[in-house]
């Protein structure tokens, strides 16, 4: 009896050691992930709630109440981290005048996004990775700018995650640039992220990924009463919103309807998030967003960038967009008492793991091709080196056409590979890998003749 117990224990040990080798966590990223502090997250949200309302059309002059005080506080917070750093982090309030639109803006306002830029260490690396939450909050009537709208979860949680990511990541060096942003005007029709995405497009920013965090800190569902803090949803578009007309023929011909760049990003979030964050399963949702709802990633996907929405698994509609009140014993409102800070810690950690992995990695391989000159039962892929970063090698990813996630990884130090699998039966992509194990986003090959 005793012997078999020891044997079982030994087997368990071997299994866990094996699992660790497969996981290949980067030590720095692991450290960053472990520094996420639920108490810090709670303190940021308490502060945001204390501004009363953060409605985009609320007061901007007061030092203590309204959206103006709130956005200045976020910029101050970013500046505080900047002072502790080595000069790479800088903060600003990026403002834009919005005219009354006859819908959700009834007077001229100066909207402001609170932005922190962590400049990359490689001057040749033009890549930008954006992480966002929305600072504005609302009650039942979206035009109500006076009543308390705590917005602890919607979207105090996303902004708290962004602030914590800036605090931790600004202590580390990355080749590429990371932008942390608390946008405003989400509830007024995605005004702040629309402003930022349009600017990024117009000025030719090389935004390779945008992570929108909107409600990532509450674990329980209204109606079905499910309580669970072990799952996070990632919403991503299937067919691209941008230039679909130009791409439709290729997408149909090669069956790439599930391989747009936002979907690739979602898969990457799942793989990297689950690699670094324990007790969390990331659910790929094959939709750009939920029914009847919008999100700050959408202006980015509409401008041709890879962007996804990270949202808690279960939503509680008694706590969203509600006037604070108690009716028939039910407490309505987006209050801090409904938050789960351990869940918010994990979801913040997912963002940091993904951003750090992306910003450390070399850029994507270029001119990735799949050879279709001949009928063949094997597959030949070839590509060119990335524009920036030092490459240890490449992962060639493969999956069944019906599989949601990559199933096999082949490592090579060459810039071509012939695989004994028919290109007719599988989907492929190639990513770069650095000596510290960080890997780029995958690139789906185009046809080479
Ligand atoms: Zn929201």
């Amino acid at each position: 009896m005793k012997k078999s117990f020891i044997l079982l224990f030994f087997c368990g040990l071997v299994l866990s050691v094996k699992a660790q080798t497969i996981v290949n966590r980067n030590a720095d990223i692991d450290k960053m992930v472990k520094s996420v502090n639920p108490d810090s997250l709670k303190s940021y949200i308490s502060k945001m709630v204390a501004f009363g309302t953060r409605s985009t059309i609320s007061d901007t002059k007061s030092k203590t109440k309204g959206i103006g005080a709130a956005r200045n506080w976020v910029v101050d917070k970013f500046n505080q981290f900047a002072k502790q750093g080595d000069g790479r982090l800088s903060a600003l309030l990026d403002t834009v005048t919005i005219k009354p639109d006859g819908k959700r803006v009834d007077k001229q306002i100066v909207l402001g996004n609170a932005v922190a830029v962590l400049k990359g260490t490689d001057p040749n690396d033009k890549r930008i990775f954006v992480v966002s939450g929305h600072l504005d909050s609302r009650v039942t009537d979206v035009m109500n700018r006076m009543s308390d709208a705590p917005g602890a979860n919607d979207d105090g949680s996303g902004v708290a995650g962004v602030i914590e990511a800036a605090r931790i990541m600004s202590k580390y060096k990355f080749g590429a640039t990371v932008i942390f942003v608390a946008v405003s005007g989400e509830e007024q029709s995605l005004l702040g992220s629309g402003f930022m995405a349009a600017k990024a497009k117009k000025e030719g920013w090389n935004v390779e990924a945008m992570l929108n965090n909107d409600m990532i800190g509450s674990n329980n569902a209204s109606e079905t009463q499910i309580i669970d803090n072990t799952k996070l949803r990632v919403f991503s578009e299937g067919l691209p919103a941008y230039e679909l007309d130009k791409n439709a023929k290729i997408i149909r011909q090669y069956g790439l309807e599930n391989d747009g760049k936002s979907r690739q990003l979602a898969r990457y979030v799942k793989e990297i998030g689950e690699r670094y964050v324990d007790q969390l399963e990331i659910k790929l949702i094959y939709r750009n967003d939920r029914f009847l709802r919008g999100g700050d990633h959408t202006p980015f996907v509409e401008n041709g960038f890879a962007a996804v929405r990270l949202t808690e698994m279960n939503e509680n509609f008694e706590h969203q967009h509600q006037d604070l009140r108690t009716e028939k014993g039910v407490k309505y409102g987006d209050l801090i008492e409904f938050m789960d800070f351990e869940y918010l810690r994990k979801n913040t950690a997912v963002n940091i793991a993904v951003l750090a992995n992306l910003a450390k990695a070399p850029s994507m391989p270029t001119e990735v091709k799949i050879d279709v000159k001949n009928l063949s039962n094997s597959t030949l892929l070839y590509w060119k080196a990335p524009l920036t970063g030092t490459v240890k090698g490449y992962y060639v990813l493969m999956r069944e056409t019906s599989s949601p996630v990559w199933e096999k990884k082949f490592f090579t130090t060459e810039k071509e590979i012939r695989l004994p699998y028919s290109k007719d039966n599988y989907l492929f992509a190639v990513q770069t890998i650095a000596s510290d194990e960080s890997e780029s986003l995958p690139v789906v090959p185009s046809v080479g003749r």
Side-chain angles (χ1 to χ4, degrees):
M1 197 62 190
K2 217 174 177 183
K3 258 184 192 166
S4 63
F5 174 78
I6 291 166
L7 192 69
L8 274 175
F9 175 74
F10 181 67
C11 284
L13 196 71
V14 169
L15 277 176
S16 71
V17 169
K18 249 190 169 171
Q20 264 179 5
T21 7
I22 295 163
V23 166
N24 268 344
R25 285 181 180 173
N26 170 284
D28 275 348
I29 298 178
D30 203 32
K31 231 195 248 168
M32 285 179 230
V33 160
K34 292 203 164 85
S35 333
V36 179
N37 185 339
D39 293 336
S40 303
L41 294 164
K42 191 174 182 179
S43 76
Y44 307 147
I45 293 179
S46 305
K47 184 70 196 176
M48 281 184 261
V49 169
F51 293 111
T53 179
R54 304 190 305 279
S55 159
T56 305
I57 50 176
S58 66
D59 182 39
T60 55
K61 300 282 185 298
S62 164
K63 296 257 184 290
T64 53
K65 296 282 168 191
I67 188 67
R71 69 199 190 190
N72 289 337
W73 172 76
V74 178
V75 174
D76 287 351
K77 208 76 208 155
F78 286 151
N79 273 322
Q80 192 184 316
F81 306 146
K83 271 195 205 107
Q84 292 158 3
D86 61 0
R88 285 174 303 118
L89 190 75
S90 60
L92 75 149
L93 185 68
D94 197 12
T95 58
V96 58
T97 301
I98 308 272
K99 297 221 155 55
D101 63 3
K103 289 176 274 178
R104 293 185 167 196
V105 180
D106 58 3
K107 57 163 189 179
Q108 181 163 304
I109 54 165
V110 178
L111 179 146
N113 292 335
V115 183
V117 180
L118 182 62
K119 223 175 158 14
T121 52
D122 179 352
N124 297 319
D125 193 336
K126 304 294 180 212
R127 293 174 304 154
I128 296 173
F129 301 102
V130 179
V131 59
S132 83
H134 72 84
L135 184 60
D136 58 308
S137 63
R138 63 172 283 187
V139 286
T140 307
D141 174 6
V142 72
M143 301 310 287
N144 180 338
R145 69 211 72 190
M146 299 308 291
S147 302
D148 279 352
N153 190 38
D154 185 12
D155 183 31
S157 63
V159 173
V162 167
I163 294 173
E164 185 69 346
R167 179 182 76 82
I168 292 166
M169 292 181 70
S170 57
K171 295 174 185 157
Y172 293 84
K173 289 185 166 58
F174 305 95
T177 293
V178 182
I179 297 182
F180 308 86
V181 59
V183 300
S184 282
E186 196 272 351
E187 307 291 6
Q188 257 43 46
S189 301
L190 316 177
L191 299 177
S193 71
F195 165 56
M196 189 177 184
K199 189 184 221 181
K201 178 80 184 9
K202 190 168 166 234
E203 295 180 0
W205 300 7
N206 185 12
V207 177
E208 286 198 352
M210 187 272 187
L211 306 178
N212 165 29
N213 290 271
D214 200 345
M215 297 190 296
I216 55 167
S218 166
N219 63 21
N220 62 92
S222 46
E223 299 149 81
T224 51
Q225 316 298 334
I226 296 163
I227 299 176
D228 183 2
N229 74 356
T230 63
K231 295 179 192 78
L232 170 69
R233 290 179 293 175
V234 181
F235 286 83
S236 62
E237 68 174 11
L239 294 173
Y242 185 74
E243 295 188 339
L244 176 60
D245 49 340
K246 288 190 195 162
N247 298 313
K249 197 178 164 207
I250 292 166
I251 293 169
R252 292 184 70 197
Q253 199 165 359
Y254 300 105
L256 298 176
E257 59 272 15
N258 195 9
D259 282 76
K261 53 186 178 178
S262 293
R263 186 63 47 80
Q264 297 298 354
L265 173 59
R267 279 188 193 104
Y268 188 95
V269 169
K270 179 173 172 64
E271 181 176 350
I272 306 302
E274 290 178 358
R275 181 186 302 169
Y276 285 98
V277 183
D278 292 318
Q279 296 294 343
L280 190 70
E281 181 192 349
I282 297 179
K283 293 274 189 193
L284 298 174
I285 309 288
Y286 284 2
R287 269 197 186 114
N288 181 53
D289 211 331
R290 300 110 69 236
F291 285 106
L292 303 172
R293 311 302 286 271
D296 291 320
H297 57 303
T298 298
F300 280 82
V301 298
E302 285 172 351
N303 281 285
F305 301 112
V308 296
R309 175 193 185 112
L310 281 67
T311 297
E312 60 207 17
M313 192 65 204
N314 304 293
E315 290 184 56
N316 193 312
F317 300 107
E318 290 159 6
H319 304 158
Q320 288 177 24
H321 303 185
Q322 294 282 3
D323 291 333
L324 303 183
R325 66 193 192 281
T326 303
E327 254 172 42
K328 292 180 189 155
V330 177
K331 211 167 178 180
Y332 289 86
D334 192 353
L335 299 163
I336 199 163
E337 66 194 70
F338 301 129
M339 303 286 299
D340 176 342
F341 290 98
E342 167 57 13
Y343 184 46
L344 179 53
R345 180 196 67 76
K346 289 195 272 188
N347 295 339
T348 301
V350 167
N351 280 272
I352 293 174
V354 170
L355 291 166
N357 211 61
L358 283 169
K360 271 173 165 288
S363 56
M364 291 184 271
T366 53
E367 295 179 50
V368 182
K369 305 273 184 199
I370 184 164
D371 182 274
V372 297
K373 280 194 288 288
N374 304 306
L375 297 176
S376 162
N377 279 308
S378 66
T379 298
L380 175 66
L381 294 153
Y382 53 95
W383 56 88
K384 288 192 174 147
L387 295 174
T388 56
T390 311
V391 166
K392 178 175 93 172
Y394 301 87
Y395 280 144
V396 176
L397 307 175
M398 182 177 109
R399 68 179 209 272
E400 299 258 1
T401 57
S402 56
S403 169
V405 290
W406 297 108
E407 295 171 314
K408 263 186 194 287
K409 276 187 192 187
F410 303 89
F411 176 76
T412 175
T413 54
E414 307 294 317
K415 288 197 261 315
E416 71 164 60
I417 195 165
R418 183 175 286 280
L419 298 168
Y421 296 92
S422 167
K423 59 184 175 291
D424 298 330
N425 302 343
Y426 296 93
L427 288 159
F428 298 92
V430 183
Q431 57 186 171
T432 57
I433 172 160
S435 51
D436 69 0
E437 305 292 341
S438 55
E439 61 271 67
S440 74
L441 285 165
V443 180
V444 174
S446 57
V447 163
R449 290 176 211 278

